[in-house]
């Protein structure tokens, strides 16, 4: 791997880069590593706006960390209000494109007004610091507005991706014990309406804890409102204007003084069991690291137009559409719909029209666009671009080269950014212009991030050896807990290597110290850069009356990186396998969301198990990857099962 192609930063970009050269960068890194807490504390004092200063950088009672102890701060104030005082009032904060072609440009002044008014609405309904709000919305400006309004009041938000089903939504509302849901009638995707409110109604069916549902009107389709519980967003806002004094006060709804460690949000992500984990992020540390990575990794300038194509329902959208760029006072492009609507030129048309200078997307999106040919990007002027980013999964060198040549015209560095929902912000990525690039490597850990690669005993492995990726020292935007389940937090992340954070990823380091992230070592799959749990899909499948047992594995896929493959055994009965295959795919769509549907369902008479009855997914993974089984199978209960599964594959 160390002999892979290296792109030196000897370009125009490097001349003006904020971090000048590798030796300057190494100096920053060494300074940070010598005392990470002090390093971050200096940045926190300088880069964030505090209502009251903190008195201790870090209180570390492994595995529980408190950053910037004693400080009072507000995330919304840092993302909005302070920019009005810094001369950015008329600067566009959000440039929004609806899928059908509608558009809105919202300046920081206007954002302040919209957020303040919606915060007043929440306050008038009786919501206060510490309450939980679930947000289930399409990609419209009201989504970040709702998040920021919650943050302004200290209401803990939990955004649920609009692609999740009513079942998945309900599980999250219940786990959080949320008292309000903020949603919309629907949104647009590939020219069709994706309805949201009916899913909320199903989810809330017999949940009594939710007192209010606020519905933003996006598509205008017929929507039922339940009396006393459901309200149109615009009606609640209109009530503010009934009294001039209320309307005026609403324009300046005060941002609350909150503790540095006040919970900012909970975001559910897939883990190794059937139940998603509520990843808890808190205020000051999260904000600091999302902000610093905007500067270090994206080399952000005041004049940049920053576009991250993720959905805000995932962590990438939280950190790099909302909190990071807005804390930095950036102009953010936000797009509602699909990359292939009305055609495969949509991304490039938006880049051209909005003069996007920094573009951040996933390898899956890049591979899907490569397949459509170069004529789509070539039809647009992409000269505004100066930096490209990649996130969510390893980027294969072929996709990297295409991105570099066809989109970046060999002018734009590519920042391959490794991080997780749990890390809150980017952890391993190049400082562009300073760090030479190698396609497929996220390069070096950022300043203040002490990443390492260890074996199963926790001992560091040598160069060019595969091992577990861990982080040794706490960092500001780290997950603070699993909502309602501290035991799981400790077991999942802090028990494998005492005192260190266990990422669940395998990695290798080359002779230049570059990190190559190889993929998950647990039962988590990565499909289109979305995290899916094998167990979650299995438990959905076994709910179906025909299914006796199910085992799910990820199989390599040319575009989406991995695809879901389910091995299923059936209960006694007269089932039509052909029909059932389709039905089970739909079933998973209903239980979790369409994005989790298995690409392939294989019916089998038995599943490989250990003597203690555990399904050996490793063997199934081998079958779908290499089409053969080579590993140690001595613990198998029924060896003929494997022979049958492999033979079945050979017949296909
Ligand atoms: C994978 C998304 C290789 C990894 C921000 C991680 C990556 C999981 C990269 C987290 C990358 C993310 N190179 N693998 N640049 N970025 N991953 O929580 O397996 O949705 O553990 O966070 O995605 O996914 P999550």
């Amino acid at each position: 791997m160390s002999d892979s192609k290296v792109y030196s930063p000897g370009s125009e970009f490097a001349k003006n880069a904020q971090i000048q050269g590798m030796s300057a960068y190494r100096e920053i890194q060494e300074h940070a590593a010598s005392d990470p807490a002090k390093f971050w504390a200096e940045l926190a004092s300088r880069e964030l706006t505090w209502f009251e200063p903190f008195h201790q950088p870090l209180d570390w009672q492994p595995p529980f960390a408190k950053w910037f102890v004693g400080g009072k701060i507000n995330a919304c104030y840092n993302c909005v209000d302070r920019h009005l005082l810094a001369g950015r009032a008329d600067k566009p904060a959000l440039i929004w494109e609806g899928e059908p072609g509608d558009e809105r440009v919202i300046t920081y002044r206007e954002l302040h007004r919209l957020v303040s008014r919606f915060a007043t609405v929440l306050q008038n309904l009786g919501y206060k610091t510490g309450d939980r709000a679930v947000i289930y919305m399409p990609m419209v400006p009201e989504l970040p507005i709702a998040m920021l309004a919650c943050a302004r009041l200290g209401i803990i938000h939990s955004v649920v991706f609009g692609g999740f089903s009513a079942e998945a939504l309900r599980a999250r509302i219940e786990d959080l014990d949320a008292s309000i849901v903020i949603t919309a009638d629907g949104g647009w995707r590939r020219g069709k309406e994706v309805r949201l409110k009916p899913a909320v109604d199903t989810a809330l069916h017999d949940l009594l804890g939710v007192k209010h549902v606020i519905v933003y009107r996006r598509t205008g389709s017929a929507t039922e409102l339940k009396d006393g519980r459901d309200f149109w967003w615009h009606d609640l806002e209109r009530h503010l204007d009934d009294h001039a004094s209320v309307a005026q006060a609403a324009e300046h709804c005060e941002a609350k003084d909150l503790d540095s460690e006040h919970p900012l949000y909970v975001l559910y992500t897939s883990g190794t069991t059937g139940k998603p984990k509520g990843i808890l992020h808190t205020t000051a540390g999260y904000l600091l690291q999302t902000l610093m990575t905007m500067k270090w990794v994206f080399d952000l300038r005041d004049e940049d137009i920053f576009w991250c194509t993720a959905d805000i329902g995932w962590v990438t959208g939280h950190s790099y559409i909302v909190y990071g760029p807005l804390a930095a006072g950036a102009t953010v492009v936000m797009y509602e719909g699909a990359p292939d609507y009305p055609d495969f030129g949509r991304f490039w048309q938006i880049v051209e029209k909005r003069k996007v200078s920094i573009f951040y997307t996933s390898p899956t999106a890049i591979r899907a666009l490569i397949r459509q040919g170069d004529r789509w990007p070539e039809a647009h002027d992409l000269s505004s671009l100066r930096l490209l980013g990649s996130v969510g999964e390893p980027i294969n060198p072929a996709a990297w080269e295409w991105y570099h040549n066809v989109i970046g015209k060999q002018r734009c560095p590519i920042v391959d950014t490794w991080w997780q929902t749990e890390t809150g912000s980017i952890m391993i990525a190049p400082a562009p212009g300073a760090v030479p690039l190698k396609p497929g490597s996220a390069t070096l850990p950022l300043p203040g991030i002490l990443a390492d690669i260890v074996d199963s005993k926790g001992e560091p492995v040598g160069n060019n050896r595969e091992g577990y990726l861990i982080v040794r020292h706490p960092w500001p935007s780290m997950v603070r807990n699993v909502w309602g389940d501290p035991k799981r937090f400790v077991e999942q992340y802090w028990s494998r290597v005492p005192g260190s954070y266990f990422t669940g990823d395998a990695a290798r380091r080359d002779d230049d110290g570059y990190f190559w992230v190889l993929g998950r070592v647990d039962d988590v799959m990565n499909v289109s850069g979305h995290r899916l749990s094998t167990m979650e899909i299995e438990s959905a499948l076994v709910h179906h009356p025909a299914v006796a047992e199910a085992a799910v594995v990820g199989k390599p896929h040319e575009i989406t990186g991995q695809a879901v493959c389910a091995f299923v055994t059936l209960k006694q009965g007269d089932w039509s396998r052909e029909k059932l295959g389709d039905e089970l795919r739909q079933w998973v769509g209903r239980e979790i969301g369409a994005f989790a549907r298995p690409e392939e369902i294989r019916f089998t008479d038995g599943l490989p198990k250990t003597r203690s009855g555990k399904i050996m997914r490793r063997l199934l993974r081998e079958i779908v990857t290499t089409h053969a089984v080579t590993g140690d199978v001595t613990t198998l209960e029924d060896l003929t099962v494997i022979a049958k599964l492999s033979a079945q594959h050979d017949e296909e």
Side-chain angles (χ1 to χ4, degrees):
M1 287 224 175
S2 39
D3 57 15
S4 69
K5 208 162 164 183
V6 180
Y7 288 77
S8 69
S11 60
E12 272 303 295
F13 190 98
K15 265 196 247 155
N16 301 311
Q18 292 188 22
I19 299 175
Q20 281 287 317
M22 203 52 196
S23 52
Y25 188 53
R26 288 269 186 221
E27 245 173 63
I28 301 176
Q29 281 187 317
E30 277 161 27
H31 166 67
S34 67
D35 190 346
K38 181 160 166 261
F39 168 75
W40 288 114
E42 281 166 8
L43 293 172
S45 305
R46 194 174 76 212
E47 302 280 341
L48 298 177
T49 305
W50 295 88
F51 295 153
E52 272 175 45
F54 54 91
H55 54 74
Q56 185 187 352
L58 170 66
D59 173 9
W60 177 223
Q61 315 275 344
F64 297 98
K66 289 188 184 141
W67 279 92
F68 314 128
V69 182
K72 296 274 185 234
I73 192 164
N74 185 288
C76 178
Y77 186 92
N78 273 271
C79 289
V80 184
D81 304 49
R82 67 168 173 163
H83 302 310
L84 306 190
L85 306 172
R88 294 197 182 100
D90 296 315
K91 177 176 177 173
L94 291 175
I95 298 180
W96 175 80
E97 288 261 339
E99 194 189 70
D102 39 349
E103 54 182 53
R104 283 162 71 188
V105 176
I106 298 173
T107 61
Y108 274 97
R109 190 196 313 280
E110 183 64 5
L111 184 63
H112 176 261
R113 198 180 91 88
L114 294 169
V115 168
S116 296
R117 283 172 64 88
F118 192 62
T120 307
V121 163
L122 294 174
Q123 219 164 20
N124 290 352
L125 288 173
Y127 293 97
K128 54 183 192 321
T129 304
D131 290 342
R132 271 89 55 214
V134 163
I135 305 179
Y136 185 61
M137 290 187 86
M139 285 283 286
V140 293
E142 279 63 24
L143 167 52
I145 288 168
M147 293 161 77
L148 291 165
C150 288
R152 198 168 186 82
L153 302 177
I155 297 169
I156 305 163
H157 65 68
S158 188
V159 179
V160 177
F161 171 56
F164 274 112
S165 67
E167 276 301 313
L169 174 64
R170 179 197 165 92
R172 285 154 176 77
I173 295 171
E174 258 188 317
D175 191 65
L176 266 179
D177 195 11
S179 44
I180 176 166
V181 176
I182 304 165
T183 187
D185 47 1
W188 296 108
R189 184 127 187 126
R190 294 210 170 83
K192 293 206 189 79
E193 184 188 6
V194 178
R195 303 223 55 193
L196 293 173
K197 177 64 168 45
V200 174
D201 291 334
T202 308
L204 294 185
H205 169 61
D206 54 354
L207 278 188
L208 299 175
V210 173
K211 304 282 177 272
H212 297 106
V213 177
I214 301 182
V215 189
Y216 175 72
R217 178 134 75 203
R218 163 68 183 133
T219 58
S221 63
T223 297
E224 275 178 41
L225 296 189
K226 189 173 164 194
D227 235 11
R229 186 193 72 180
D230 303 352
F231 298 90
W232 286 113
W233 179 306
H234 56 261
D235 280 344
L236 293 171
E237 286 220 346
R238 204 177 297 140
H239 289 319
L240 297 178
D241 298 329
D242 289 348
H243 303 282
S245 59
V246 177
Q248 213 178 9
E251 312 266 310
H252 304 283
C253 173
E254 204 186 330
K256 292 254 178 299
D257 277 24
L258 300 170
D259 195 87
S260 292
E261 282 294 335
H262 183 72
L264 178 61
Y265 69 80
V266 174
L267 184 61
Y268 285 83
T269 189
S270 296
T272 49
T273 71
K275 192 170 177 276
K277 296 178 282 198
I279 299 300
L280 172 67
H281 283 294
T282 59
T283 303
Y286 175 79
L287 206 57
L288 177 68
Q289 202 178 327
T290 53
L291 168 61
M292 291 320 300
T293 47
M294 284 302 299
K295 299 190 180 196
W296 293 335
V297 181
F298 295 111
D299 188 69
L300 187 80
R301 313 297 168 98
D302 218 15
E303 59 280 10
D304 272 315
I305 309 285
F306 181 82
W307 183 18
C308 163
T309 67
D311 191 290
I312 293 177
W314 308 108
V315 74
T316 306
H318 279 64
S319 300
Y320 297 104
I321 298 178
V322 186
Y323 290 108
L326 295 182
T331 295
V332 177
V333 171
M334 177 175 171
Y335 169 56
E336 176 185 31
D340 55 354
Y341 190 85
D343 58 41
F344 283 95
R346 188 66 189 264
F347 273 5
W348 317 126
Q349 177 248 332
I350 295 175
V351 167
E352 177 175 6
K353 177 174 165 198
R354 298 302 179 184
K355 299 201 165 39
V356 171
S357 58
I358 306 175
F359 180 73
Y360 189 34
T361 197
S362 68
T364 288
I366 295 166
R367 288 190 293 261
L369 291 165
I370 292 174
R371 184 180 262 198
Q372 302 306 319
D374 296 0
R375 69 187 174 99
W376 297 107
E378 276 165 7
H380 295 278
D381 176 7
L382 305 181
S383 61
S384 57
L385 290 172
R386 66 181 197 91
L387 180 65
L388 303 173
S390 167
V391 61
E393 41 180 325
I395 180 165
N396 49 311
W400 198 100
E401 299 280 349
W402 183 86
Y403 202 24
H404 189 245
N405 293 327
V406 180
I407 305 304
K409 316 284 185 224
Q410 305 185 344
R411 283 182 300 108
C412 308
I414 294 178
V415 288
D416 176 356
T417 62
W418 177 87
W419 58 295
Q420 306 177 302
T421 306
E422 293 87 340
T423 68
S425 44
I426 299 171
M427 302 287 279
I428 305 180
V435 176
L437 307 174
K438 298 186 191 183
S441 168
T443 75
L444 305 171
L446 292 173
I449 303 302
L450 306 187
D452 203 352
I453 301 172
V454 299
D455 62 18
S456 53
K457 294 193 193 76
E459 298 299 323
V461 299
N463 285 354
N464 303 311
R465 293 262 163 94
E466 187 174 332
Y468 300 115
L469 179 61
I470 62 158
V471 187
R472 292 205 183 277
H473 190 279
W475 63 99
S477 65
M478 67 198 274
V479 48
R480 296 302 198 270
N481 215 329
V482 171
W483 184 262
D485 200 349
K487 193 162 155 269
R488 192 169 178 194
F489 173 70
V490 174
E491 279 168 9
Q492 180 83 48
Y493 304 112
W494 302 95
S495 302
R496 297 286 285 265
V497 182
S500 292
Y501 169 80
F502 188 78
T503 64
D505 276 330
R508 188 185 286 152
R509 193 164 26 197
D510 70 17
D511 293 327
D512 296 324
Y514 278 42
F515 283 67
W516 298 76
V517 177
L518 305 167
R520 304 285 310 188
V521 294
D522 52 15
D523 293 325
V524 171
M525 287 170 293
N526 194 325
V527 178
S528 303
H530 297 157
R531 259 167 81 166
L532 294 173
S533 142
T534 55
M535 302 278 277
E536 208 177 333
I537 300 176
E538 286 164 8
S539 53
L541 284 167
V542 298
H543 274 149
H544 189 281
V547 175
E549 283 186 305
V552 166
V553 293
K555 67 171 200 177
H557 189 280
E558 206 187 324
I559 304 257
T560 58
Q562 282 188 308
V564 178
C565 178
F567 291 84
V568 168
T569 64
L570 296 178
K571 290 185 187 153
Q572 292 290 331
D574 193 13
W575 312 106
S576 147
R577 291 188 169 188
E578 210 170 298
K579 266 209 220 127
L580 203 54
D582 266 350
E583 194 180 314
L584 291 177
R585 294 183 68 252
Q586 302 302 332
W587 179 269
V588 173
R590 261 198 314 275
E591 294 265 313
I592 303 173
F595 63 94
R597 279 188 207 143
E599 186 185 71
E600 194 183 341
I601 302 231
R602 295 194 195 179
F603 295 102
T604 167
D605 292 337
L607 290 169
K609 290 194 190 144
T610 59
R611 284 180 213 286
S612 61
K614 274 201 193 133
I615 296 174
M616 299 181 81
R617 286 192 197 77
R618 174 174 61 82
L619 298 180
L620 299 173
R621 224 176 282 136
E622 266 185 77
I623 292 175
V624 299
T625 327
T626 64
H627 304 177
V629 178
T630 49
D632 178 14
V633 292
T634 47
T635 50
L636 257 187
E637 187 189 49
D638 178 5
L639 281 165
T640 60
V641 163
I642 275 298
K644 277 190 213 147
L645 286 171
S646 311
Q648 199 179 343
H649 190 273
D650 292 341
E651 282 163 22
E652 278 164 13

